[in-house]
Amino acid sequence: MNEGTVRPVSSNATPPPAQAPGWEAFEEALSSALSVLEEEFLVVSTRTGNRYVQFNVSPDEGVFAETVSNAYLGPDEKLDVGQLADLLFLGWAAPTRAPNAPNPDATTKGSPNHFREFPRPYSCADVARFAVRTLTGPLRIGSPAELEYKAFDEAGHPVTLPALPIDRLPLPRPKVKVATKPRGPTEFDRLRARVLAAARAGTGQGSLAYEDGALHVPIGNRMGWIRPNERPHYVRVHLHLLSDVEGGEDFLAQIHEVNSRLPVVRVIYKERSVFLGIDFPALPFRPEHLTQAVTLLAQFADEVVEELRLPAEPEKVRN
């Protein structure tokens, strides 16, 4: 499609009225606009701030819809707990990764935004209704007059949708792209995806995702972490034993003595907290190694606390 292409919505389309219509008319216009997009993108955003809904439309595959996450909002615009709960209630999935981070699970799309997939056959009316409920609900936009849009194809050429009763945001001219060899997932990307799949299978938590590079999982009756490391490739699993512990010389000597007798696992003291950890090499990664590491940590946790002569106070497991 050439730059500046105007896409009619239908042969019966009429020019939008001078005054911006209400939400019902906007929803109908958005449905019509979505119906004519082919392998193209539509972003409906606020004139001020950065609240938006956006759509990647592929007639052969479906519509991949996204709405803004707090990662893209300034301090004054961030969504509060109630707004985030409303997004989940509407059917948006929570973000799966930080901006610019690789997708940890190559088998699913995921997004740093809140997202939802509408597979074929999809209804443009349903997608538009879902978007309007998001705009008027969690995003708290009072009128379509607060909105503008941009639409473009995969090459970045703008697409004009006359029936949308909001202003079109001009796009910069697309840059000429130099053909480069596509960059596939790295060995570390694949390791992260395999660790995530094994942890989901082991915990039964299908929505488990990385937070700051680690997976937060229950190990026994304590909170644990699973963290893949890149150089060299290995996986670290550790759990929290105790907090607010004074690390005097006698106590550190106890830790050293316990570590000298423990097989595989080791006690770690850091910033007044005590952890129990285990590292294992991950080239190649074997899910059974992760299972064994988790089992050993759960097995030795209470014994280590007892040997350190401190009361066992398991940390409450996060749901």
Side-chain angles (χ1 to χ4, degrees):
M1 180 179 297
N2 295 326
E3 182 175 357
T5 299
V6 175
R7 180 65 61 80
V9 171
S10 71
S11 57
N12 298 321
T14 57
Q19 297 296 324
W23 287 112
E24 184 176 351
F26 177 80
E27 180 181 313
E28 183 177 349
L30 179 59
S31 174
S32 297
L34 290 168
S35 71
V36 300
L37 292 176
E38 298 181 2
E39 307 298 338
E40 290 160 337
F41 305 83
L42 170 62
V43 182
V44 177
S45 59
T46 51
R47 292 175 178 272
T48 59
N50 196 36
R51 288 167 293 166
Y52 56 81
V53 290
Q54 61 188 28
F55 313 91
N56 180 352
V57 180
S58 172
D60 292 334
E61 296 184 12
V63 177
F64 187 74
E66 298 176 85
T67 192
V68 67
S69 71
N70 277 338
Y72 296 102
L73 292 173
D76 296 335
E77 269 203 306
K78 287 194 181 295
L79 306 177
D80 59 32
V81 173
Q83 290 171 285
L84 294 173
D86 288 344
L87 287 174
L88 294 176
F89 179 78
L90 282 177
W92 291 101
T96 58
R97 63 182 184 273
N100 302 319
N103 189 351
D105 185 356
T107 63
T108 61
K109 287 187 176 179
S111 173
N113 283 310
H114 301 271
F115 65 96
R116 179 173 173 179
E117 295 186 66
F118 294 86
R120 297 185 66 241
Y122 58 88
S123 164
C124 290
D126 289 345
V127 178
R129 186 176 306 110
F130 179 71
V132 168
R133 290 180 66 190
T134 301
L135 293 167
T136 58
L139 299 191
R140 298 178 183 171
I141 297 170
S143 165
E146 301 176 37
L147 301 172
E148 58 190 5
Y149 82 92
K150 57 184 176 182
F152 48 92
D153 63 15
E154 292 182 337
H157 298 122
V159 175
T160 301
L161 301 167
L164 271 182
I166 53 178
D167 290 340
R168 180 172 70 87
L169 185 67
L171 295 175
R173 294 180 64 87
K175 297 180 180 179
V176 177
K177 293 185 177 180
V178 179
T180 57
K181 184 178 180 180
R183 176 185 178 275
T186 66
E187 188 66 36
F188 184 58
D189 294 335
R190 287 190 284 269
L191 171 61
R192 282 169 52 90
R194 290 167 184 150
V195 171
L196 177 62
R200 285 178 172 176
T203 62
Q205 298 180 13
S207 60
L208 189 64
Y210 285 101
E211 298 179 34
D212 297 325
L215 301 171
H216 297 240
V217 298
I219 299 179
N221 61 344
R222 292 175 169 84
M223 174 53 64
W225 294 265
I226 302 171
R227 182 184 297 274
N229 289 268
E230 186 170 11
R231 294 186 180 89
H233 283 11
Y234 69 95
V235 176
R236 171 164 294 171
V237 187
H238 64 288
L239 58 78
H240 179 266
L241 292 180
L242 297 161
S243 297
D244 197 25
V245 177
E246 186 65 39
E249 290 186 8
D250 290 345
F251 181 69
L252 295 178
Q254 278 186 289
I255 289 180
H256 178 73
E257 196 277 332
V258 170
N259 278 336
S260 69
R261 291 184 287 103
L262 282 175
V264 184
V265 301
R266 69 183 188 278
V267 183
I268 305 165
Y269 178 77
K270 182 178 181 181
E271 297 177 354
R272 297 181 62 85
S273 291
V274 182
F275 302 88
L276 191 64
I278 182 171
D279 296 343
F280 61 89
L283 276 181
F285 172 75
R286 294 285 185 263
E288 57 268 25
H289 294 168
L290 179 60
T291 301
Q292 292 167 1
V294 170
T295 301
L296 283 171
L297 289 178
Q299 174 184 335
F300 281 105
D302 290 336
E303 178 182 329
V304 168
V305 170
E306 184 177 349
E307 289 208 32
L308 292 176
R309 302 173 193 165
L310 291 168
E313 295 178 0
E315 181 177 274
K316 185 177 180 182
V317 173
R318 183 193 309 177
N319 291 326

